[in-house]
Amino acid sequence: MISKRIIPCLDIRNGRVVKGVNFEGVRDVADPVEMAKFYNDAGADELVFYDITASVEGRGLFADLLRDVAAQVFIPLTVGGGINTLDDFDRVLKCGADKVSVNSGAIRDPSLIGRAAKKYGDQCVVLSMDIKRVDGSFHLFAKGGREDTGIDALEWAKRGVESGAGEVVVNSIDTDGVRKGFDLELLDAIAARCKVPIIASGGAGSKEDFARLFEHEGMDAGLAASIFHLKQLLIPDLKRYLRQCGVEVRL
C-alpha cells in the first residue's frame, strides 16, 4: 500500500510566509527558512513553496529565498509561482526544487505542460488549480485566485493530465482557510477524471478532516497551511492518529 502524504504549504509574499481565508485577508505568519527547517524535522513528507504574487506581479519567483529554503529540507520540495516557460522550470530546479507547480502559466500556454513533461519527466510537472464554484459549476481561477477564467476546472484537470502532468493539486477557494474540512465534492469529481496522484488543498481544520479525506479514492496527499503553521495540529500527532485509523503513513 502506498503511504499517504502530509504536506505543509508555505505561501510566500514579500519574502514571508503568509496565510489568508478564501484567498483573501492575507496576514504575516513566519520566516520561510525557519519554517522549512521546522517541517523537515517534524516529519512532513514533502514541502510546497508558492510565491503567491509572482504571477499577478508579472515577475519571477524569489530565487535567493528558494535556495535558502531548499538548503533546509531533505524531503521533496515542490515550487510554484511565476512559472511561465521552460526556462522558469530550469531555474527553480537548479535552485533546489524537486517538482515544479504550474498554474497561471499553463492557462496562458497549455503547451507548457507537455513540453515540460517531455523535457523533465511527468514526475516533475505538478498541475496546480485554484477552483471555485460559480453558478453551480467548478471554474478555474488564475493569478492567485483573483481572475475567473471561465474554464471548466474538471475538463482542465483531465486535459492537463493527458498532456503530461504527473500530479494534480486541487486548491479549493471555497474552503481555503475556513477549516471545516476538505472540499470532498470537488475532489471526488477530479478523481473521477484523473488517474494520477491528487493532492487536496483547502479546508483542513482537524485530524478528522484528514482521515475523512483519505477515505476517498484517489486522494494521495493532504496539504495544509495555517493549521500546521499555528501549531494547532502537529504532524507527528496527525500521523499517529491516521495510523490508528488504518491509514498508511510514514512515521
Side-chain angles (χ1 to χ4, degrees):
M1 183 183 294
I2 298 175
S3 297
K4 304 299 185 182
R5 292 171 287 157
I6 303 301
I7 306 176
C9 178
L10 306 183
D11 290 325
I12 309 295
R13 186 178 71 175
N14 298 325
R16 297 283 294 178
V17 177
V18 297
K19 192 68 189 83
V21 176
N22 303 130
F23 282 38
E24 297 178 349
V26 174
R27 68 183 189 279
D28 183 273
V29 175
D31 173 74
V33 177
E34 292 178 1
M35 188 157 279
K37 186 178 187 305
F38 168 77
Y39 285 130
N40 181 82
D41 296 343
D45 295 297
E46 298 186 13
L47 186 67
V48 168
F49 175 110
Y50 283 146
D51 187 337
I52 62 172
T53 58
S55 289
V56 72
E57 293 173 4
R59 58 168 173 79
L61 58 73
F62 300 115
D64 290 343
L65 178 58
L66 173 56
R67 290 189 191 93
D68 292 341
V69 166
Q72 296 298 324
V73 298
F74 301 94
I75 53 178
L77 176 64
T78 299
V79 177
I83 305 298
N84 297 296
T85 66
L86 290 183
D87 286 343
D88 292 329
F89 268 80
D90 191 63
R91 185 162 50 88
V92 299
L93 289 169
K94 287 178 178 175
C95 286
D98 298 285
K99 295 183 277 190
V100 182
S101 175
V102 291
N103 188 335
S104 295
I107 294 170
R108 281 189 292 271
D109 178 10
S111 74
L112 178 61
I113 298 171
R115 290 187 290 116
K118 184 176 180 179
K119 184 171 183 179
Y120 300 107
D122 293 8
Q123 78 289 341
C124 181
V125 183
V126 179
L127 177 61
S128 179
M129 300 177 293
D130 299 331
I131 302 171
K132 185 176 182 179
R133 290 168 176 79
V134 179
D135 298 327
S137 299
F138 293 117
H139 281 207
L140 182 69
F141 277 65
K143 297 182 179 178
R146 295 170 176 82
E147 179 183 294
D148 183 358
T149 66
I151 296 171
D152 182 300
L154 305 183
E155 289 304 312
W156 177 252
K158 180 181 178 184
R159 180 181 173 186
V161 170
E162 289 173 347
S163 296
E167 285 188 337
V168 174
V169 177
V170 181
N171 305 301
S172 172
I173 297 175
D174 294 314
T175 61
D176 175 69
V178 178
R179 301 188 200 178
K180 292 185 178 179
F182 291 98
D183 195 333
L184 298 174
E185 179 189 20
L186 168 60
L187 290 162
D188 285 343
I190 296 286
R193 292 163 174 81
C194 301
K195 302 307 177 186
V196 297
I198 294 173
I199 300 170
S201 172
S206 68
K207 59 184 183 296
E208 290 82 7
D209 290 336
F210 285 90
R212 280 190 286 271
L213 170 70
F214 293 131
E215 290 174 356
H216 287 245
E217 187 175 348
M219 301 303 116
D220 288 79
L223 182 150
S226 56
I227 191 172
F228 293 147
H229 296 347
L230 302 177
K231 297 182 173 61
Q232 293 167 334
L233 181 59
L234 298 178
I235 290 175
D237 294 342
L238 170 59
K239 287 189 168 186
R240 283 191 290 269
Y241 169 78
L242 291 173
R243 179 67 67 85
Q244 291 170 1
C245 293
V247 178
E248 183 64 32
V249 292
R250 182 180 63 85
L251 294 177

